[in-house]
């Protein structure tokens, strides 16, 4: 069982930039398009199972 989160490092500084309130200023996304509220998304919403077969997931930023 896995969950994936990604962000677009637009300025290539190696980290996710945030504003003064800690809100990300660069695009990001999680598996299953899971959304968080005042923090990261819930594991149960983001998780998916990886079996012996190939699996493709789409993450919208």
């Amino acid at each position: 069982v896995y969950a994936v989160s990604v962000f677009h490092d637009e300025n290539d500084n190696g980290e996710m930039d945030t504003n003064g309130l800690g809100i990300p200023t660069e695009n990001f996304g999680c598996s299953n398009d899971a959304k968080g509220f005042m923090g990261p998304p819930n594991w149960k919403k983001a998780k998916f199972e990886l079996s012996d077969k190939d699996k493709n997931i789409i993450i919208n930023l």
Side-chain angles (χ1 to χ4, degrees):
V1 178
Y2 296 88
V4 176
S5 63
V6 297
F7 73 96
H8 179 203
D9 187 9
E10 296 175 21
N11 59 1
D12 200 27
N13 68 349
E15 56 189 57
M16 179 189 279
D17 296 326
T18 59
N19 65 17
L21 298 174
I23 299 170
T25 58
E26 296 178 311
N27 293 327
F28 66 95
C30 294
S31 46
N32 296 328
D33 280 334
K35 306 286 186 223
F37 179 73
M38 303 294 285
N42 183 298
W43 165 259
K44 289 180 182 180
K45 292 180 182 178
K47 72 178 182 174
F48 62 94
E49 224 174 290
L50 188 61
S51 63
D52 293 339
K53 297 180 182 179
D54 291 340
K55 183 166 188 95
N56 293 318
I57 62 171
I58 296 172
I59 299 176
N60 296 303
L61 300 181

